[in-house]
Amino acid sequence: MSDAREAILRRIRSALGDGNAPTQTGDRQEIGREYRRTDGRAQDTLVELFCERVGDYRAEVQRIASAALEDALTAAALRSGGRRLVVPPGLPAEWRPAQLELVPDAELTTAELDELDGVITGCTVAIAETGTIVLTSDAHEGRRALSLVPDLHICIVQASQIVGTVPEALAQLAPVVSAERRPLTFISGPSATSDIELKRVEGVHGPRKLVVFVTEEPP
Amino acid sequence: MTVPAEGFPAAASRELRNRQLRRNLGQATSTIRAKRANVVAEVPDWEQLRAAGSAIKADVMANLDSYLLQFEQALTAAGATVHWARDGAEACAIVAQVARAHGVSEVVKVKSLTTDEIALNESLGREGIHALETDFAELILQLDGDWSSHILVPAIHRNRTEIRNLFRRTIAPEIDSDDPAVLAEAARRYLRERFLSAEVGVSGANFGVAETGTLCVVESEGNGRMCTTLPPVLVSILGIEKLVPSFTDLEVFLQLLPRSSTGERMNPYTSLWTGVSDGDGPQELHVVLLDNGRTRVLRDEVGRQALHCIRCSACLNVCPVYSRTGGHAYGSVYPGPIGAILTPQLIGIENAPTLPFASSLCGACYDACPVKIDIPRVLLHLREQAVEAVDKPAERLAMGAAAWVFRRSDRMRLVQRLMRVLQRPLVRDGRIRRLPRPLSAWTRTRDLRPVAESSFVERNGSGAARR
Amino acid sequence: MKIGLFATCVADTMFPEAATATATILRRLGHQVVVPREQTCCGQMHMNSGYRRSAAPLAERFVATYGAFDAVVSPSSSCVGAIRQLYPELLGIDHPVLERTMELSEFLVHRLGVEDVGATYPHRVTYHPTCHSLRVTRIGDAPLRLLRNVRRLELVELPDAQECCGFGGTFSIKNSETSSAMLADKCDAIESTGAGICTAVDGSCLLQIGGGLSRRGGDTRAVHLAEILASR
């Protein structure tokens, strides 16, 4: 295998000319970034935009006061037939409705996860322009399988977590990746396919139902 | 990767007769094209994003060796095992070795053009390992022994009734509806069990981040998440050109790709993982860095930009040739305008000499490309190589004669006069309806305007009479 | 202004009326129009077909013939595109005349600022924007601005106007069946407008479209934009 490594590196250097010398980090080009890297709009405008864009993906989305969240979570779960929901270890107590049977993720097998109706998670950052929530396997989000295997995903987004653009979100996520190497999952609406005659079908393998609550205050 | 020797014109001629293909394809390409146009129009800095995307990729190619070493180092530090493969056979052998080491007879696979390029499924099959395609369209094609006709929607040439009949024969004997939602549900049920029990997952990657060792898969259905999260072992294969320098650079491509590809603001799921995460996802990660002709492409300073491609398929959807012939006519894993410039470079122009000519040079692909690959320019470049690689004496003679005539104006006037005489028996009602070969290729479907009774320059020209 | 008229080989041979009309329009606007007898072909066919080296002497010939003019005007956006874009990129030619070479409608609208040439043309007309006029020379809506000011002309919109007609130079022969499929869709679109005339700024595309319409036997004809603008 190291033969292949050396051969490929040699081929690259030969293709690039310069007497087959290795390229140096100093040879790299500064990239002109004339595109928007921030969004100047007011936070409330961004929250509205986020809700509109999440709705465009046919996800359920609702702005809600923290005080009303518990009832709303219960209602949303029951509406989708969800009684037994898995919760990540760090999910705040305010986001754990008493009326539902909540199963803490104590190393559940995937088969056990598959038996559950849904999951409640928070998120790390959300993008208004694209209607995207980003999970980073933090304590209030849980490992990746949690938001993947059960058929219903309820996600709570705090209004202050919403940024305007993709670059703003990635700026927040960079340290999560470089320092902690945590995996990221960008979610924009429920699982979907358009493979048959381009007709969109929601729900193939990921959760078929995505419910997003936007709360004003952190718990 | 090989392409059929018959060449594009013959294959296109066959595909053009497939009415269902043309109808489906016409509808699909125009629908996606309109969606793309809408979501691109709402981005005020689209051109700046394209410029940045192009510059980032150019930088990657110019420093590919050092970025690959940085990527390898970051991945290793994050607990992954990095493999290098000079060609498809080496890459397939690495995957097979990992599968054998874990004693599995089946791996679950995310849709990946790179693995199609190296015929991974066939190769694993010979080793007794079944590679299960889990993308909905890829599953359909796999069940039917068919192959992709579009990068984004591979089964676009099939209709719902055909798919229902196929499912009845294969994975869902009880199915009685051809509603796409019911068909998708059947695929979900069939695959779920396999996902939950899979020991080894295989994926490609849309991007690899040199700085952090992060891999990125962009998808819609969630099968990508399943394959990259649930199996304890994951093998990700990526072409060496798939790198971006830094995590920050993804801010450009995660905007360009979904809007150009599916015409969505963002695709449903994007997964990014950096090596192995304790207690979350695969605990054994292999990354295969594949050359398979890419360093050959890199040698060509004009053609090199084909390596910038992020596989969005926007160029297919806007291409007037592709939207009529479909992907199979190109005979390659990479169809459409990008295929016409990438395939001949990957496998050698002498092995795909007709592909660079499969274009009317309308330029729509260049305008649509999110990383500004100047496809028409590369097509011209490769046409020159094709002419040198495959000698066509009659064409060479005709082109040489035309150039000889045009080198002097008196020759051109003389030839015009000659043509006026020669065409006389052919002109009826002011048009020519029939010409001998090879010009019969024109008159089979079109009339030809005759040479005019007098040349404009002859009548109105001033200055030196000869030269 | 002393303008060199570059007819192009296609117009000179098959559409002399388009070149004549181009000269007429420019002279009416008070310009001196010269038709150099030395002109032949820009070499686009050779460059587009893989015979770049054969095109080099033709390009040098173009520059030698037209280098001294204030402007060069041609009734073909495709040839102008080849001159402006491919001469520098493919042949390494760098001469100020390349930038001074323009297609007729872009010259009128963008250089002279003229949108009304005083034409009258009592027909129902649809306009096909050719690929190279859209994406290489990028003349924008110059032809439409001119057409809108033609007296008694009824302009009707062409569905899927920006789709290629399928000409593509030697593509029309090498891939004649694909080219014909593209042409059939273009002719359908043109006929659906009920226009009697389809116009464009490229003789080569008009050769394709006109040939297709003629074979179908309908009443719709392909006419070069210059001829419409020169009509009184």
Side-chain angles (χ1 to χ4, degrees):
Chain A
M1 281 316 131
S2 70
D3 283 358
R5 179 178 187 269
E6 293 317 311
I8 292 170
L9 290 171
R10 204 169 45 240
R11 287 173 183 176
I12 292 170
R13 287 166 187 155
S14 147
L16 293 175
D18 297 335
N20 299 349
T23 59
Q24 308 293 325
T25 44
D27 302 335
R28 296 177 183 177
Q29 290 293 309
E30 194 59 42
I31 304 300
R33 298 183 194 272
E34 312 281 317
Y35 54 86
R36 295 169 305 146
R37 304 190 77 185
T38 53
D39 193 311
R41 284 173 282 191
Q43 190 63 22
D44 197 58
T45 310
L46 294 180
V47 174
E48 280 304 310
L49 181 64
F50 173 74
C51 293
E52 177 197 313
R53 297 276 152 103
V54 172
D56 283 350
Y57 295 124
R58 296 191 224 169
E60 230 178 81
V61 58
Q62 198 183 336
R63 289 183 78 164
I64 194 151
S66 291
L69 185 59
E70 190 175 340
D71 289 343
L73 286 170
T74 307
L78 294 177
R79 212 167 36 243
S80 305
R83 294 179 183 282
R84 299 179 67 224
L85 281 73
V86 61
V87 289
L91 196 76
E94 296 82 349
W95 297 355
R96 295 169 179 252
Q99 298 90 325
L100 298 172
E101 183 184 340
L102 300 178
V103 182
D105 175 34
E107 297 186 19
L108 295 169
T109 65
T110 41
E112 286 167 333
L113 270 179
D114 193 38
E115 294 295 307
L116 298 173
D117 301 326
V119 61
I120 302 176
T121 74
C123 74
T124 298
V125 62
I127 308 166
E129 274 194 356
T130 59
T132 303
I133 52 177
V134 185
L135 274 57
T136 65
S137 295
D138 206 350
H140 65 300
E141 296 158 334
R143 60 196 168 102
R144 284 172 283 173
L146 262 56
S147 59
L148 174 62
V149 177
D151 210 13
L152 166 69
H153 181 192
I154 302 177
C155 181
I156 298 144
V157 178
Q158 296 155 57
S160 60
Q161 291 180 315
I162 297 171
V163 298
T165 61
V166 173
E168 288 166 287
L170 263 68
Q172 285 192 29
L173 295 165
V176 177
V177 170
S178 57
E180 303 178 57
R181 294 190 185 130
R182 290 215 301 261
L184 312 182
T185 307
F186 287 54
I187 298 172
S188 308
S191 158
T193 183
S194 302
D195 278 343
I196 299 185
E197 299 175 10
L198 280 189
K199 189 176 174 339
R200 187 179 166 97
V201 174
E202 267 88 31
V204 193
H205 306 296
R208 282 181 282 197
K209 186 118 200 219
L210 175 67
V211 182
V212 177
F213 288 107
V214 180
T215 66
E216 301 303 330
E217 314 91 37
Chain B
M1 185 169 62
T2 55
V3 305
E6 63 175 343
F8 183 85
S13 154
R14 190 175 53 246
E15 298 296 321
L16 283 165
R17 292 185 204 357
N18 182 340
R19 285 168 181 277
Q20 176 177 321
L21 172 79
R22 279 188 67 183
R23 199 173 43 240
N24 287 8
L25 211 54
Q27 206 172 8
T29 51
S30 61
T31 305
I32 305 175
R33 208 186 318 177
K35 280 179 72 181
R36 176 195 162 274
N38 281 337
V39 296
V40 165
E42 72 180 30
V43 179
D45 51 348
W46 186 252
E47 286 308 315
Q48 289 84 347
L49 286 166
R50 286 179 82 209
S54 167
I56 292 166
K57 280 295 188 178
D59 176 51
V60 168
M61 298 319 148
N63 298 281
L64 191 54
D65 56 331
S66 72
Y67 281 126
L68 283 167
L69 291 173
Q70 191 185 6
F71 185 56
E72 179 187 45
Q73 196 175 14
L75 273 167
T76 310
T81 306
V82 177
H83 309 260
W84 300 67
R86 274 169 286 207
D87 53 30
E90 285 188 355
C92 293
I94 294 163
V95 182
Q97 195 187 344
V98 172
R100 269 200 310 268
H102 291 274
V104 300
S105 58
E106 181 171 276
V107 298
V108 289
K109 247 193 91 204
V110 191
K111 168 184 163 189
S112 149
L113 285 165
T114 309
T115 60
D116 292 345
E117 174 193 321
I118 60 174
L120 175 67
N121 297 4
E122 292 75 4
S123 176
L124 289 179
R126 285 191 293 272
E127 306 262 335
I129 301 159
H130 181 232
L132 177 66
E133 291 289 354
T134 64
D135 172 78
F136 190 22
E138 292 286 348
L139 173 69
I140 292 166
L141 298 179
Q142 188 177 44
L143 289 171
D144 210 18
D146 195 357
W147 57 296
S148 167
S149 64
H150 191 287
I151 291 178
L152 174 68
V153 275
I156 198 62
H157 56 293
R158 315 307 296 270
N159 68 32
R160 59 179 77 190
T161 312
E162 288 177 295
I163 296 165
R164 183 205 54 197
N165 294 343
L166 169 69
F167 277 18
R168 255 192 207 154
R169 285 201 312 274
T170 53
I171 61 168
E174 74 292 348
I175 204 161
D176 58 2
S177 164
D178 62 2
D179 178 357
V182 174
L183 297 168
E185 168 70 23
R188 176 187 170 96
R189 274 201 312 272
Y190 172 71
L191 287 174
R192 178 144 287 234
E193 226 171 282
R194 321 287 273 268
F195 283 135
L196 298 187
S197 59
E199 293 288 325
V200 177
V202 176
S203 82
N206 294 90
F207 308 103
V209 182
E211 170 195 50
T212 57
T214 305
L215 293 172
C216 175
V217 163
V218 171
E219 53 135 353
S220 296
E221 296 175 7
N223 63 310
R225 291 179 71 193
M226 291 279 179
C227 292
T228 61
T229 310
L230 299 186
V233 180
L234 174 62
V235 188
S236 300
I237 305 169
L238 67 161
I240 52 176
E241 83 285 15
K242 290 285 178 70
L243 296 193
V244 298
S246 69
F247 181 78
T248 302
D249 293 320
L250 290 175
E251 71 189 19
V252 175
F253 296 103
L254 292 183
Q255 294 191 74
L256 290 173
L257 179 53
R259 290 182 197 260
S260 301
S261 179
T262 52
E264 293 170 300
R265 297 185 180 112
M266 193 66 95
N267 49 290
Y269 299 131
T270 298
S271 299
L272 297 113
W273 66 100
T274 307
V276 171
S277 301
D278 200 16
D280 185 350
Q283 296 301 296
E284 186 179 324
L285 172 65
H286 298 267
V287 178
V288 183
L289 299 171
L290 175 74
D291 179 352
N292 204 33
R294 285 155 177 79
T295 48
R296 176 215 286 261
V297 186
L298 195 65
R299 280 184 174 277
D300 188 321
E301 284 184 36
V302 176
R304 182 185 290 174
Q305 53 184 311
L307 295 175
H308 298 189
C309 175
I310 56 173
R311 313 282 189 260
C312 72
S313 73
C315 65
L316 276 61
N317 297 323
V318 298
C319 178
V321 174
Y322 174 87
S323 62
R324 288 174 180 83
T325 66
H328 290 172
Y330 295 79
S332 155
V333 169
Y334 303 106
I338 185 63
I341 64 167
L342 187 56
T343 306
Q345 294 197 83
L346 283 173
I347 66 175
I349 187 76
E350 65 282 5
N351 297 312
T354 60
L355 284 181
F357 296 93
S359 164
S360 67
L361 302 175
C362 83
C365 48
Y366 180 32
D367 280 7
C369 178
V371 291
K372 296 179 83 162
I373 301 171
D374 191 344
I375 295 176
R377 173 76 181 82
V378 181
L379 284 169
L380 296 194
H381 180 69
L382 295 178
R383 285 178 180 193
E384 197 178 343
Q385 293 180 2
V387 164
E388 277 162 24
V390 183
D391 190 32
K392 292 186 161 181
E395 182 188 289
R396 182 164 42 82
L397 206 66
M399 284 291 183
W404 181 82
V405 169
F406 289 138
R407 276 206 295 275
R408 279 192 31 184
S409 56
D410 54 350
R411 289 180 194 152
M412 179 171 156
R413 305 311 149 214
L414 186 69
V415 169
Q416 284 171 330
R417 282 197 290 275
L418 191 66
M419 281 160 68
R420 241 169 256 144
V421 176
L422 288 176
Q423 75 184 7
R424 261 179 217 148
L426 300 167
V427 181
R428 299 245 153 75
D429 303 331
R431 58 193 171 183
I432 298 170
R433 295 182 66 93
R434 222 186 196 152
L435 282 168
R437 276 169 62 89
L439 293 175
S440 55
W442 177 281
T443 49
R444 211 166 348 194
T445 54
R446 293 154 282 203
D447 290 344
L448 184 65
R449 233 178 133 93
V451 172
E453 274 317 303
S454 66
S455 140
F456 169 75
V457 177
E458 214 166 33
R459 260 185 300 135
N460 301 279
S462 59
R466 279 175 54 93
R467 196 172 71 95
Chain C
M1 205 185 308
K2 191 175 168 187
I3 300 170
L5 196 156
F6 177 48
T8 77
C9 61
V10 168
D12 182 46
T13 308
M14 293 172 170
F15 292 91
E17 57 277 16
T20 306
T22 304
T24 305
I25 295 161
L26 294 170
R27 286 191 181 119
R28 277 183 194 153
L29 291 168
H31 298 287
Q32 185 194 345
V33 178
V34 177
V35 180
R37 195 175 286 280
E38 299 86 350
Q39 65 179 292
T40 59
C41 162
C42 67
Q44 183 185 192
M45 177 179 74
H46 288 89
M47 287 188 280
N48 282 354
S49 308
Y51 296 86
R52 179 177 62 98
R53 274 193 289 273
S54 301
L58 307 183
E60 282 157 22
R61 177 182 191 88
F62 176 88
V63 171
T65 307
Y66 290 97
F69 287 98
D70 302 325
V72 182
V73 175
S74 170
S76 162
S77 78
S78 188
C79 300
V80 168
I83 290 161
R84 286 211 301 245
Q85 195 182 65
L86 298 184
Y87 280 11
E89 282 185 22
L90 253 53
L91 304 174
I93 292 175
D94 175 27
H95 191 283
V97 75
L98 305 188
E99 281 310 307
R100 296 200 299 264
T101 303
M102 298 179 97
E103 177 277 328
L104 172 66
S105 71
E106 74 169 334
F107 181 73
L108 293 173
V109 174
H110 298 156
R111 175 88 185 263
L112 301 182
V114 173
E115 295 189 7
D116 185 348
V117 290
T120 301
Y121 196 72
H123 295 279
R124 181 172 225 206
V125 175
T126 192
Y127 168 66
H128 165 65
T130 62
C131 297
H132 288 191
S133 75
L134 283 172
R135 292 179 280 264
V136 180
T137 42
R138 299 193 188 265
I139 66 173
D141 64 349
L144 287 171
R145 286 169 180 266
L146 290 158
L147 284 170
R148 286 193 198 105
N149 286 310
V150 174
R151 306 323 167 253
R152 300 182 57 204
L153 183 148
E154 185 196 350
L155 187 63
V156 286
E157 201 180 323
L158 179 65
D160 298 319
Q162 302 200 349
E163 278 275 306
C164 178
C165 71
F167 176 67
T170 48
F171 173 80
S172 62
I173 303 287
K174 282 177 189 278
N175 282 286
S176 65
E177 294 181 62
T178 308
S179 167
S180 299
M182 290 156 71
L183 175 61
D185 291 345
K186 182 56 73 181
C187 290
D188 285 346
I190 292 167
E191 288 176 352
S192 79
T193 64
I197 305 292
C198 172
T199 191
V201 296
D202 271 294
S204 46
C205 305
L206 289 168
L207 202 63
Q208 164 97 340
I209 293 172
L213 291 171
S214 161
R215 178 61 58 90
R216 286 159 78 115
D219 297 329
T220 315
R221 290 182 302 128
V223 173
H224 195 283
L225 177 75
E227 290 178 67
I228 295 177
L229 298 181
S231 298
R232 284 270 161 102

